[in-house]
Amino acid sequence: MPEKQVAPVISRLEEFEQRLPGYLNTHSKLAILLDYDGTLAPIASNPSKTKMPVELEATLHKLAKHPQIFLAVISGRALKDVQAHVNIEGVTYAGNHGLEIEYPDGSRHDYELPADIKKNYTAMVKELKQQVEKNGAWVEDKRVSLTYHYRDTPVELKDEQKRLATEICQRHGFRANQAHEAIEAKPPVDWNKGEAALYILKSKFGADWAQQVLVVFAGDDTTDEDAMRVSLEFISQLKLLLTISFVVIRCYRDWADLSASRPTHRSRPLRTSVCPNRM
């Protein structure tokens, strides 16, 4: 069994340079792959209420135009939903944990689910709405995956409703993953944020993307670990798993000679994988 790495905490640009000397430089292309909820925008009681801080939004607009940076957002939200919330041109968007991908030129890649899985999905949504959409909990139907939100459910009722929702999802053959005060039901296919990240990098930079670009993926939830796992396992050189504050965007902003002030909305560290394939 490989030795488990302890994730260092990075809170300043100087520490990033100490951990990864030379990683951020103006001579290498950089691919920044980002989650949305809890990463670009703080978690809200309702997904429709999330909003990126103005300063961060301005930074992302500049990064999306930078000639040395490739920017992608990979979210569990439906594609159109995450596009509407980020709303920045020049970004590649992936929704539904990567099942839907749309590039800046409007071209798409959609993972086609088998007919039986689609049928089970429809039945699952119906049963969840009938059985556990109550006491402040509700079902977010995203067409190919769903999220069962129970944040507003009274504390004494949460465990039972969560247990029943998980049971319903699994009975219909879907994978039930714990999220922030929610259960995410994903189809039983070999496709996730990790596979989507790999597909996006290959599409943009070719099969030898690991030699063409430096990569960082930033996320804060368990589903983001799929992307980190794929990117780390794919590259045979030095690999690091970092837990950092939102310095990740701050570093890129400084690296691009943009504003150096720090976003203040984060209270929880991000999990971030970096693939320093040129070190």
Side-chain angles (χ1 to χ4, degrees), residues 250-267:
R250 195 167 154 241
C251 287
Y252 305 147
R253 180 174 50 210
D254 293 348
W255 177 80
D257 291 324
L258 303 177
S259 170
S261 56
R262 179 179 182 178
T264 59
H265 76 276
R266 288 215 51 84
S267 59

mmCIF file of all heavy atoms in Angstrom, residues 250-267:
data_model
loop_
_atom_site.group_PDB
_atom_site.id
_atom_site.type_symbol
_atom_site.label_atom_id
_atom_site.label_comp_id
_atom_site.label_asym_id
_atom_site.label_seq_id
_atom_site.Cartn_x
_atom_site.Cartn_y
_atom_site.Cartn_z
ATOM 1 N N ARG A 250 -6.004 33.595 -6.020
ATOM 2 C CA ARG A 250 -5.156 34.733 -5.713
ATOM 3 C C ARG A 250 -3.791 34.572 -6.357
ATOM 4 O O ARG A 250 -3.200 35.520 -6.902
ATOM 5 C CB ARG A 250 -5.018 34.847 -4.195
ATOM 6 C CG ARG A 250 -4.466 36.164 -3.702
ATOM 7 C CD ARG A 250 -4.679 36.271 -2.211
ATOM 8 N NE ARG A 250 -3.670 37.157 -1.650
ATOM 9 C CZ ARG A 250 -2.791 36.777 -0.750
ATOM 10 N NH1 ARG A 250 -2.763 35.551 -0.323
ATOM 11 N NH2 ARG A 250 -1.920 37.635 -0.278
ATOM 12 N N CYS A 251 -3.265 33.359 -6.330
ATOM 13 C CA CYS A 251 -1.959 33.099 -6.947
ATOM 14 C C CYS A 251 -2.004 33.350 -8.443
ATOM 15 O O CYS A 251 -1.099 33.949 -9.022
ATOM 16 C CB CYS A 251 -1.545 31.655 -6.678
ATOM 17 S SG CYS A 251 -1.046 31.316 -4.986
ATOM 18 N N TYR A 252 -3.052 32.857 -9.090
ATOM 19 C CA TYR A 252 -3.145 33.032 -10.539
ATOM 20 C C TYR A 252 -3.283 34.497 -10.889
ATOM 21 O O TYR A 252 -2.755 34.977 -11.886
ATOM 22 C CB TYR A 252 -4.345 32.263 -11.088
ATOM 23 C CG TYR A 252 -4.339 30.818 -10.718
ATOM 24 C CD1 TYR A 252 -5.525 30.138 -10.496
ATOM 25 C CD2 TYR A 252 -3.143 30.120 -10.554
ATOM 26 C CE1 TYR A 252 -5.519 28.808 -10.128
ATOM 27 C CE2 TYR A 252 -3.129 28.806 -10.180
ATOM 28 C CZ TYR A 252 -4.323 28.150 -9.972
ATOM 29 O OH TYR A 252 -4.330 26.847 -9.605
ATOM 30 N N ARG A 253 -4.001 35.225 -10.046
ATOM 31 C CA ARG A 253 -4.186 36.645 -10.301
ATOM 32 C C ARG A 253 -2.850 37.369 -10.199
ATOM 33 O O ARG A 253 -2.504 38.196 -11.041
ATOM 34 C CB ARG A 253 -5.188 37.207 -9.282
ATOM 35 C CG ARG A 253 -5.466 38.694 -9.449
ATOM 36 C CD ARG A 253 -6.563 39.134 -8.501
ATOM 37 N NE ARG A 253 -6.270 38.665 -7.162
ATOM 38 C CZ ARG A 253 -7.220 38.366 -6.286
ATOM 39 N NH1 ARG A 253 -8.482 38.449 -6.621
ATOM 40 N NH2 ARG A 253 -6.887 37.964 -5.062
ATOM 41 N N ASP A 254 -2.088 37.053 -9.145
ATOM 42 C CA ASP A 254 -0.777 37.664 -8.999
ATOM 43 C C ASP A 254 0.141 37.244 -10.138
ATOM 44 O O ASP A 254 0.912 38.032 -10.670
ATOM 45 C CB ASP A 254 -0.153 37.269 -7.655
ATOM 46 C CG ASP A 254 -0.914 37.861 -6.479
ATOM 47 O OD1 ASP A 254 -1.760 38.738 -6.714
ATOM 48 O OD2 ASP A 254 -0.653 37.437 -5.345
ATOM 49 N N TRP A 255 0.044 35.957 -10.483
ATOM 50 C CA TRP A 255 0.882 35.413 -11.562
ATOM 51 C C TRP A 255 0.616 36.141 -12.858
ATOM 52 O O TRP A 255 1.494 36.382 -13.658
ATOM 53 C CB TRP A 255 0.579 33.932 -11.716
ATOM 54 C CG TRP A 255 1.315 33.255 -12.818
ATOM 55 C CD1 TRP A 255 2.595 32.807 -12.817
ATOM 56 C CD2 TRP A 255 0.789 32.905 -14.104
ATOM 57 N NE1 TRP A 255 2.902 32.200 -14.013
ATOM 58 C CE2 TRP A 255 1.806 32.261 -14.819
ATOM 59 C CE3 TRP A 255 -0.451 33.087 -14.721
ATOM 60 C CZ2 TRP A 255 1.633 31.781 -16.108
ATOM 61 C CZ3 TRP A 255 -0.626 32.628 -16.011
ATOM 62 C CH2 TRP A 255 0.413 31.977 -16.689
ATOM 63 N N ALA A 256 -0.622 36.533 -13.078
ATOM 64 C CA ALA A 256 -1.003 37.231 -14.305
ATOM 65 C C ALA A 256 -0.875 38.740 -14.163
ATOM 66 O O ALA A 256 -1.350 39.491 -15.007
ATOM 67 C CB ALA A 256 -2.445 36.869 -14.669
ATOM 68 N N ASP A 257 -0.235 39.192 -13.064
ATOM 69 C CA ASP A 257 -0.057 40.622 -12.804
ATOM 70 C C ASP A 257 -1.383 41.361 -12.726
ATOM 71 O O ASP A 257 -1.527 42.473 -13.251
ATOM 72 C CB ASP A 257 0.839 41.269 -13.879
ATOM 73 C CG ASP A 257 2.260 40.787 -13.776
ATOM 74 O OD1 ASP A 257 2.734 40.558 -12.646
ATOM 75 O OD2 ASP A 257 2.902 40.636 -14.832
ATOM 76 N N LEU A 258 -2.339 40.714 -12.057
ATOM 77 C CA LEU A 258 -3.634 41.348 -11.863
ATOM 78 C C LEU A 258 -3.697 41.859 -10.429
ATOM 79 O O LEU A 258 -2.707 41.891 -9.712
ATOM 80 C CB LEU A 258 -4.751 40.342 -12.148
ATOM 81 C CG LEU A 258 -4.698 39.722 -13.551
ATOM 82 C CD1 LEU A 258 -5.797 38.680 -13.695
ATOM 83 C CD2 LEU A 258 -4.831 40.777 -14.611
ATOM 84 N N SER A 259 -4.900 42.230 -9.986
ATOM 85 C CA SER A 259 -5.087 42.747 -8.631
ATOM 86 C C SER A 259 -4.592 41.755 -7.602
ATOM 87 O O SER A 259 -4.813 40.566 -7.728
ATOM 88 C CB SER A 259 -6.569 43.033 -8.398
ATOM 89 O OG SER A 259 -6.820 43.303 -7.056
ATOM 90 N N ALA A 260 -3.956 42.217 -6.540
ATOM 91 C CA ALA A 260 -3.373 41.323 -5.540
ATOM 92 C C ALA A 260 -4.201 41.244 -4.265
ATOM 93 O O ALA A 260 -3.817 40.595 -3.321
ATOM 94 C CB ALA A 260 -1.966 41.789 -5.183
ATOM 95 N N SER A 261 -5.352 41.890 -4.236
ATOM 96 C CA SER A 261 -6.171 41.815 -3.018
ATOM 97 C C SER A 261 -6.831 40.459 -2.927
ATOM 98 O O SER A 261 -7.056 39.790 -3.931
ATOM 99 C CB SER A 261 -7.236 42.911 -3.030
ATOM 100 O OG SER A 261 -8.027 42.819 -4.181
ATOM 101 N N ARG A 262 -7.191 40.054 -1.723
ATOM 102 C CA ARG A 262 -7.622 38.682 -1.460
ATOM 103 C C ARG A 262 -9.127 38.581 -1.253
ATOM 104 O O ARG A 262 -9.704 39.336 -0.495
ATOM 105 C CB ARG A 262 -6.916 38.167 -0.205
ATOM 106 C CG ARG A 262 -7.314 36.742 0.160
ATOM 107 C CD ARG A 262 -6.556 36.304 1.384
ATOM 108 N NE ARG A 262 -6.872 34.927 1.731
ATOM 109 C CZ ARG A 262 -6.311 34.277 2.733
ATOM 110 N NH1 ARG A 262 -5.425 34.870 3.486
ATOM 111 N NH2 ARG A 262 -6.653 33.031 3.004
ATOM 112 N N PRO A 263 -9.807 37.614 -1.927
ATOM 113 C CA PRO A 263 -11.222 37.383 -1.648
ATOM 114 C C PRO A 263 -11.387 36.965 -0.190
ATOM 115 O O PRO A 263 -10.527 36.305 0.376
ATOM 116 C CB PRO A 263 -11.575 36.227 -2.597
ATOM 117 C CG PRO A 263 -10.511 36.243 -3.651
ATOM 118 C CD PRO A 263 -9.282 36.749 -2.967
ATOM 119 N N THR A 264 -12.514 37.367 0.400
ATOM 120 C CA THR A 264 -12.701 37.103 1.823
ATOM 121 C C THR A 264 -13.866 36.181 2.114
ATOM 122 O O THR A 264 -14.169 35.933 3.270
ATOM 123 C CB THR A 264 -12.943 38.429 2.568
ATOM 124 O OG1 THR A 264 -14.102 39.063 2.023
ATOM 125 C CG2 THR A 264 -11.742 39.339 2.448
ATOM 126 N N HIS A 265 -14.537 35.625 1.084
ATOM 127 C CA HIS A 265 -15.757 34.874 1.357
ATOM 128 C C HIS A 265 -15.516 33.469 1.854
ATOM 129 O O HIS A 265 -16.406 32.843 2.396
ATOM 130 C CB HIS A 265 -16.632 34.823 0.099
ATOM 131 C CG HIS A 265 -16.152 33.849 -0.938
ATOM 132 N ND1 HIS A 265 -15.182 34.175 -1.845
ATOM 133 C CD2 HIS A 265 -16.503 32.557 -1.187
ATOM 134 C CE1 HIS A 265 -14.972 33.135 -2.637
ATOM 135 N NE2 HIS A 265 -15.755 32.152 -2.253
ATOM 136 N N ARG A 266 -14.283 32.937 1.719
ATOM 137 C CA ARG A 266 -14.062 31.548 2.078
ATOM 138 C C ARG A 266 -13.810 31.372 3.561
ATOM 139 O O ARG A 266 -13.076 32.126 4.163
ATOM 140 C CB ARG A 266 -12.877 30.954 1.310
ATOM 141 C CG ARG A 266 -13.191 30.716 -0.148
ATOM 142 C CD ARG A 266 -12.491 29.465 -0.628
ATOM 143 N NE ARG A 266 -12.740 28.337 0.233
ATOM 144 C CZ ARG A 266 -13.799 27.559 0.147
ATOM 145 N NH1 ARG A 266 -14.717 27.791 -0.737
ATOM 146 N NH2 ARG A 266 -13.954 26.539 0.972
ATOM 147 N N SER A 267 -14.440 30.365 4.145
ATOM 148 C CA SER A 267 -14.161 30.034 5.532
ATOM 149 C C SER A 267 -13.692 28.599 5.654
ATOM 150 O O SER A 267 -13.276 28.172 6.708
ATOM 151 C CB SER A 267 -15.432 30.225 6.378
ATOM 152 O OG SER A 267 -16.471 29.397 5.897
#
